[in-house]
Every structure is written in structure tokens, then in C-alpha cells.
Amino acid sequence: MKKIEINSSFFTRNRKNLAALMKSDSCAVINSNDIMPSNADGSMKFIQNSDLFYLTGIEQEETVLLLNPSAKKDDMKEILFIRDYNPELEVWEGKKYSPEEASRVSGIQTVLGLSRFEDMLHDLMCKYENVYLNTNDHDRAANIVETRDLRFIARLRNRYPIHNYFRLSPLIYSLRAIKSPEEVELLQKACDLTGKGFNRILKFVKPGVWEYEIEAEFAHEFISRGSKYADYEPIIASGESSCFLHYISNDKQCNDGDVLLIDLAAGWGNYNADMTRTIPVNGKFTKRQKDVYNAVLRAMKGTIAEMKPGKTAIDIHMVTKELLAKELVDLKLVKPEDVKDLNKKSSAFKKYYPHEVSHFLGLAVHDVGGFDEPLKPGMVLTCEPGIYIREEKIGIRIENDILITENGNLDLMKSIPVEAEEIESIMNNR
Ligand code: GLY
Ligand code: MN
Ligand code: MN
């Protein structure tokens, strides 16, 4: 995969913005993720902690960032600790960051070996009362596995029990929620690559293909361009499987007359796109499939029109529910009284539209951001309404990625085919 470098000025600015939110006379410690074990002596591919990446750009395990904004000397305000040089490890894993390289990538002047961390930390703990520590406070995070940050927090609180500890996450999340122009550019690139993959498979899908063959087509398009899948498992779901929200086995044959729901996207430079398209396997929607498709598309367009500064993600979800309530009645799936009270957890919605319409997008696919906070320019959210009719084997979801702007929004996926006729036309002209 291509190494996509972001200018170090981005990470320097993020640290500066974070330091401005910290109390005076305080320090902060942010740890990398672990390399997660699989089985026997195996391990998963390393995924960096998004907060540490946002502040340093360093993609290496056993990395620690120490922020000490009140330091008298400039070169002590930010200190990055990386793995000490280990020639034996190099034989197996290749080159790790040298201090010079880590400094160039992150813009941090002082880069030291990790063996220096404990002593320097102790000096700061003797000096400050207030310490910020990092936790994964995403409201849907399962947090079953103890992270490096959590192990560090337990150790620190044990050793220094009467310091004041503060959560770093609200400060970092408030910054990460607003995307800078560099981040928007990376997200746009991820969306554009996703579109290339989608145009490719529109010319490939036909009755008899297997879902995993479609996955391989996307992989070819992404990987040959130095990209990769976004950070979630691709969903390629034909027929009845289109109604299973987290279907990821992708192991069925696509049958004539079925719909095919594709929820997958490319990533670029650690930033994730998130797209869903639903297409007819044989290149032509049936009348019923098209009616449901256009109902979802109208709901998506109506929702996007309301995604603007001041509205909250919860407001947006209510807009979609209102739009889909009307569509579900028109499609004769429910009676008006079934969807009268949108606030109620109605069984009609539970059955035909069981999820929400939007989530924040960025370094994480379900990125940080407050669902009850007013949207601001620079936020990026998905818009992904759906209608799932299991008894008819029709699951339709359409998902675009939307940047909130001063006056409204910009659809980062506006050039990816979405009209039913456009999709049919591309599928039939190959
Ligand atoms: N692909 C995950 C989602 O749409 O939220
Ligand atoms: Mn999504
Ligand atoms: Mn998705």
C-alpha cells in the first residue's frame, strides 16, 4: 500500500490546538495502540490509535506522546518516545522510525527512545498536579480489551494516587470532529476511489457472479491505486442477505432478479469513506424494486437538504424518519397510524428501518462527534437511509458522505452514480 504522507504542519497544528485547551501547568500522555494478537504466535495488522495519529502522524507500535505545554524550553513542550533501536528486530520487521524520521513526520523536535520515558514522566509528575490521560470514549465502543492507554492509566494512578487526572478525549474529540482542508482532501480522495471501484463493478455484476468475486474487483481497483478498503468489513449482500445489516460473509451467488446491496469503501491516508449502493443483479430493477429504491433515494435527498449548521444528528435522524414514514405508507408496507408517533420506538420502523441515518466519518468509520450537538462547518457525516423488506428479499440502502459547509453541505460522493436509470444504463452498456 502506498505511504500517504500528510504534511507535518497538520500534526503540529493539532498539538497546538490541543495544548490551548489544556489547563495551565498540566501535562498529557497519549499512547499508541497495541499490536493485537490473533492465534498461536500470530498478530493482526497494526492499526494506530486515531488520537495519537492525529497528533503525530506516527504509525508505529510502542509510541508515546508527552505534551508539556507550560515547559520553559520550547524543545520540552512536546516529546515523542519511539521504540529504541533494535538491530535484531530490524532483521525480522525491517526498518522502524529513526528519531530523525519520526521528527520529520510529526514536526516534533524532541524524539527519544522509549527507555527514557519513565524518568522524564517522573520529573513531570513531581512538577504538575494536573494530568490528562487518553481513553476511548466513543459511545458505542465495546472496550472489552484493555488498551495500552488503560494499562498506563491504571499504573499511573497506582503510583501517583493523589494527582488530579482529567479526560483528554473531550478535548481531542472536539478538534477531530471538525475536519481541516487537508482532511477533507483525503476524504474526498477516498470517496473518489470508492466511485472508481463502483463504476468498475457496474460493468462486472451479472447473474451467476459470486459476492466474493465482486469484493475482489473492488480490491483490485483500490489496491492497484495504492489504496485499501476503508476500516470496516465489506458488505456485499444479494437477495435476502441485503436485509441483514451486518452481513459480511460475502459467499453467495448473485441470482437473476435479485438486488445486490454493496456497503464498502476505500480508505486514503487513514481517512475512511463509507458508501452504500444497491443495484439490480441483472441490470434492471423490477417495478417493485425500483419503487422501493426511489423511496429510499428521495429520503436520502430530503435528508441531505437538511444537513446544515445548527441542526443536530438527532434532528437529521428525525427528518429521515418523517420522510421514510410517508414512503413506507405509500409502499403499502405500513398504515399511517403505525408511523404516527415518530418518537415512539415503533415496530414499523424497527422492522423496515432499524438503524439511524448518520454517523460522523474520519479517522474512524464511526468517527467521534456528538449526536446532540449542533452541526458545524467542517464536520463530515454519512447519510444512509434504507428500507429492508425481508419477506420480499429487497433490502435497499443508499449511503453518501456529506461535508457540512457554512451555508449547507457538500456531497463528497455527488459524482458516484446513484439514480436508478443511470445505474441501469451503465450496467447495460458494457
Ligand atoms: N459501513 C458501516 C456503516 O455504514 O455505518
Ligand atoms: Mn455508514
Ligand atoms: Mn456503510
Side-chain angles (χ1 to χ4, degrees):
M1 209 187 64
K2 201 159 158 173
K3 183 101 197 105
I4 297 131
E5 280 216 358
I6 306 174
N7 194 297
S8 65
S9 60
F10 170 68
F11 306 112
T12 301
R13 184 172 1 111
N14 295 342
R15 291 190 301 275
K16 201 163 153 252
N17 288 341
L18 179 62
L21 297 175
M22 289 167 57
K23 293 175 188 296
S24 54
D25 292 326
S26 67
C27 64
V29 181
I30 302 103
N31 279 279
S32 65
N33 275 347
D34 286 310
I35 297 177
M36 298 304 288
S38 55
N39 283 300
D41 63 349
S43 54
M44 316 256 208
K45 204 167 133 285
F46 178 64
I47 298 175
Q48 185 55 289
N49 177 288
S50 298
D51 298 319
L52 187 69
F53 179 82
Y54 183 76
L55 297 169
T56 66
I58 298 294
E59 295 197 73
Q60 185 167 287
E61 70 285 355
E62 295 181 40
T63 304
V64 188
L65 174 65
L66 184 56
L67 293 177
N68 174 20
S70 327
K72 300 242 161 21
K73 290 166 69 184
D74 273 354
D75 61 357
M76 287 292 115
K77 287 184 192 297
E78 307 170 335
I79 308 170
L80 184 69
F81 297 89
I82 56 170
R83 293 187 79 153
D84 294 276
Y85 178 64
N86 177 341
E88 274 173 42
L89 187 73
E90 193 168 288
V91 171
W92 293 94
E93 295 188 9
K95 286 201 182 298
K96 299 278 172 182
Y97 286 100
S98 66
E100 296 72 29
E101 182 66 357
S103 180
R104 187 187 66 75
V105 169
S106 63
I108 297 175
Q109 271 186 63
T110 307
V111 180
L112 303 173
L114 191 56
S115 53
R116 303 275 308 277
F117 176 65
E118 290 295 328
D119 284 351
M120 297 202 67
L121 177 70
H122 183 66
D123 285 350
L124 288 188
M125 294 305 280
C126 295
K127 190 168 161 203
Y128 297 132
E129 307 233 327
N130 298 328
V131 185
Y132 286 90
L133 299 173
N134 202 28
T135 44
N136 178 357
D137 293 335
H138 190 286
D139 59 357
R140 285 199 231 156
N143 285 337
I144 322 170
V145 177
E146 193 173 46
T147 60
R148 212 175 160 79
D149 265 319
L150 284 178
R151 294 198 301 278
F152 174 71
I153 291 168
R155 194 158 57 82
L156 202 67
R157 292 181 75 107
N158 188 36
R159 184 160 174 209
Y160 305 98
I162 54 175
H163 278 67
N164 301 322
Y165 294 102
F166 297 94
R167 292 165 63 216
L168 195 59
S169 63
L171 313 189
I172 300 193
Y173 292 0
S174 68
L175 300 174
R176 275 180 54 192
I178 311 284
K179 271 61 185 180
S180 66
E182 295 98 318
E183 292 174 290
V184 171
E185 210 175 293
L186 293 162
L187 283 165
Q188 182 68 70
K189 177 89 181 174
C191 291
D192 292 347
L193 289 168
T194 306
K196 288 198 189 322
F198 182 57
N199 277 298
R200 178 185 181 114
I201 67 92
L202 281 178
K203 296 186 179 298
F204 176 79
V205 170
K206 57 178 182 304
V209 296
W210 292 79
E211 292 161 354
Y212 51 76
E213 292 181 294
I214 300 165
E215 184 174 341
E217 288 296 307
F218 273 105
H220 188 281
E221 193 68 30
F222 295 167
I223 296 171
S224 66
R225 292 174 188 278
S227 162
K228 57 168 187 173
Y229 275 115
D231 208 3
Y232 67 94
E233 285 297 316
I235 296 169
I236 303 176
S238 61
E240 187 188 18
S241 305
S242 62
C243 300
F244 304 142
L245 299 178
H246 286 167
Y247 173 87
I248 54 170
S249 54
N250 304 346
D251 58 359
K252 307 277 184 309
Q253 202 167 16
C254 301
N255 294 322
D256 200 351
D258 280 348
V259 293
L260 174 69
L261 184 152
I262 298 168
D263 182 347
L264 60 74
W268 191 252
N270 285 11
Y271 284 78
N272 297 287
D274 187 3
M275 177 197 77
T276 308
R277 289 290 182 272
T278 311
I279 66 173
V281 167
N282 64 11
K284 183 130 186 59
F285 287 109
T286 63
K287 160 112 183 29
R288 176 67 166 169
Q289 288 167 350
K290 196 176 266 190
D291 286 347
V292 182
Y293 187 91
N294 283 331
V296 175
L297 187 57
R298 278 191 294 273
M300 184 173 93
K301 288 178 179 172
T303 305
I304 292 176
E306 295 301 315
M307 294 175 74
K308 48 191 170 198
K311 292 274 170 76
T312 68
I314 294 175
D315 296 336
I316 300 301
H317 185 51
M318 284 310 284
V319 169
T320 311
K321 275 183 127 182
E322 270 164 35
L323 293 166
L324 283 180
K326 183 181 172 308
E327 300 290 356
L328 290 174
V329 173
D330 290 351
L331 288 166
K332 307 214 172 345
L333 290 166
V334 301
K335 297 196 180 63
E337 57 270 27
D338 296 334
V339 287
K340 217 168 48 211
D341 186 355
L342 298 175
N343 281 310
K344 222 173 67 194
K345 280 212 176 317
S346 98
S347 57
F349 276 118
K350 213 167 170 191
K351 179 165 181 202
Y352 295 111
Y353 172 56
H355 57 81
E356 305 208 322
V357 75
S358 210
H359 56 81
F360 294 90
L361 192 65
L363 282 170
V365 177
H366 292 176
D367 208 26
V368 296
F371 279 74
D372 52 358
E373 284 166 28
L375 299 178
K376 292 189 190 133
M379 289 182 167
V380 178
L381 300 97
T382 62
C383 181
E384 50 182 303
I387 294 178
Y388 311 88
I389 318 169
R390 197 156 160 200
E391 53 278 22
E392 297 180 39
K393 294 198 216 159
I394 300 175
I396 309 270
R397 180 166 66 254
I398 312 174
E399 176 175 25
N400 277 13
D401 301 342
I402 311 296
L403 166 71
I404 306 297
T405 59
E406 293 290 340
N407 304 317
N409 66 60
L410 176 71
D411 186 342
L412 301 178
M413 291 188 158
K414 63 178 184 303
S415 60
I416 303 180
V418 74
E419 297 294 332
E421 291 72 21
E422 192 185 4
I423 286 171
E424 289 178 337
S425 156
I426 300 172
M427 290 184 81
N428 288 294
N429 285 296
R430 47 188 166 188

